[in-house]
Amino acid sequence: MRKKIVIANWKMNHDFYETTSFLRSFLRIIFEKKINHNKEIIIAPSFPFLHISNQILQGTILHVAAQNIHYMEKGSYTGEVSVSMLKSIGIQKVILGHSERREFFYEKNDILLKKIKIALKYGFHIIFCVGETDIERNKNQQFNVVKNQLKETVFHCSLNDIRSFYIAYEPIWAIGTGKTATFEQVQKMHQFIRSLFLEKYGINLSILYGGSINENNAKDFFLQKDIDGGLIGNSSLELEKFIKIVQS
Ligand code: PEP
């Protein structure tokens, strides 16, 4: 089940021109540098550019993910985007539980569980984020916090559904702050998360780290035994930096 994965979470960055030129240049560089196929590379652009991104990347080793979905199939939810809409343009992956959605859009575990259910219903692959705040870590509550986030969401899923997940451990205090967790802190948490899934489902999932990964520190993170890759924010916006991370 485990594979090497790098995901670019572009958040609310890159317009149409920046998105399409990044992807075209990225493909050219991948071809020139013969970046091999033993890893999964996923790009998560903004909603308006998912379709064109998917068209550009069709048939390549790159995949596209949405950054969010609504939990209802359709209806009067002004400004929202449904899973079936995304499916109709060929999208099959979504990031859920990102701390910015939890913090700025008040997405609690019950809402996230609804989003998980609708995503699974439409056969989506889910990159599910968990992680503690700095206050929680200072109180040494990080393991309980992450376990609870999983217990109230992903752990409601069946064994069959679990195969559709990647888990991203993203300590909130390390996201977009330039502050990274230590390799040891991340390794310990990944080992813990892995053991929870092995215990409950007997499945060895891919677990990614996210939080101020850059082109200089990526390799050391990816060398840790239980880190299968990264969810990259800021450093995925610049092509050169992101290429270096992918090569790491
Ligand atoms: C993220 O938003 O998922 C993230 C990890 O951001 P950054 O790499 O900028 O910390």
Side-chain angles (χ1 to χ4, degrees):
M1 290 284 295
R2 288 178 69 179
K3 31 177 165 162
K4 294 184 196 306
I5 303 150
V6 185
I7 304 176
N9 176 17
W10 283 352
K11 314 187 185 190
M12 200 172 70
N13 295 294
H14 284 341
D15 62 16
F16 178 85
Y17 174 75
E18 290 161 336
T19 299
T20 52
S21 56
F22 182 111
L23 295 179
R24 291 196 173 104
S25 307
F26 192 21
L27 285 179
R28 185 174 37 77
I29 293 168
I30 279 185
F31 181 73
E32 281 167 10
K33 291 192 187 284
K34 298 188 173 49
I35 291 178
N36 58 27
H37 291 225
N38 70 352
K39 52 181 89 69
E40 189 167 343
I41 306 168
I42 301 173
I43 312 284
S46 296
F47 276 134
F49 314 126
L50 284 171
H51 191 207
I52 184 76
S53 299
N54 213 28
Q55 285 182 330
I56 293 172
L57 300 182
Q58 200 82 47
T60 73
I61 61 164
L62 303 185
H63 303 271
V64 178
Q67 297 173 19
N68 185 29
I69 48 167
H70 195 265
Y71 57 79
M72 295 296 287
E73 303 227 34
K74 59 157 108 177
S76 304
Y77 301 97
T78 303
E80 292 293 327
V81 175
S82 72
V83 192
S84 62
M85 289 170 182
L86 295 177
K87 190 162 182 166
S88 74
I89 56 164
I91 304 300
Q92 293 174 318
K93 297 180 192 296
V94 64
I95 299 172
L96 292 178
H98 193 281
S99 62
E100 287 155 13
R101 300 291 319 168
R102 293 179 192 257
E103 184 183 348
F104 303 133
F105 302 95
Y106 312 109
E107 291 187 6
K108 304 271 178 258
N109 290 336
D110 56 336
I111 297 286
L112 291 171
L113 180 55
K114 288 187 193 178
K115 291 191 176 202
I116 285 174
K117 287 196 170 153
I118 195 91
L120 290 171
K121 182 173 172 190
Y122 281 84
F124 270 52
H125 205 116
I126 300 169
I127 300 116
F128 192 80
C129 308
V130 292
E132 79 285 355
T133 63
D134 50 353
I135 297 173
E136 288 160 344
R137 180 161 281 269
N138 290 339
K139 291 187 192 156
N140 202 27
Q141 291 173 340
Q142 64 275 18
F143 295 108
N144 277 344
V145 168
V146 166
K147 187 174 181 181
N148 200 48
Q149 286 171 340
L150 290 170
K151 210 169 114 196
E152 294 186 358
T153 56
V154 181
F155 285 175
H156 283 257
C157 297
S158 68
L159 173 62
N160 200 35
D161 288 338
I162 286 299
R163 298 179 209 280
S164 303
F165 283 90
Y166 298 147
I167 302 299
Y169 169 55
E170 299 211 309
I172 295 167
W173 46 275
I175 296 179
T177 57
K179 243 198 253 176
T180 57
T182 64
F183 307 130
E184 218 176 41
Q185 285 171 326
V186 180
Q187 167 56 29
K188 254 191 186 167
M189 180 59 84
H190 279 222
Q191 199 173 17
F192 174 70
I193 295 172
R194 188 173 305 292
S195 71
L196 294 178
F197 279 93
L198 279 170
E199 203 177 292
K200 187 165 169 64
Y201 296 101
I203 276 195
N204 208 353
L205 278 194
S206 297
I207 307 173
L208 319 179
Y209 168 68
S212 300
I213 292 187
N214 59 42
E215 68 285 13
N216 301 316
N217 62 23
K219 196 170 194 155
D220 289 327
F221 278 111
F222 299 160
L223 280 174
Q224 304 301 309
K225 171 157 111 2
D226 285 294
I227 301 181
D228 297 310
L231 179 50
I232 325 288
N234 278 332
S235 299
S236 70
L237 293 171
E238 281 177 50
L239 187 54
E240 272 183 26
K241 287 187 182 177
F242 190 57
I243 289 281
K244 283 189 184 148
I245 294 172
V246 169
Q247 285 180 307
S248 303

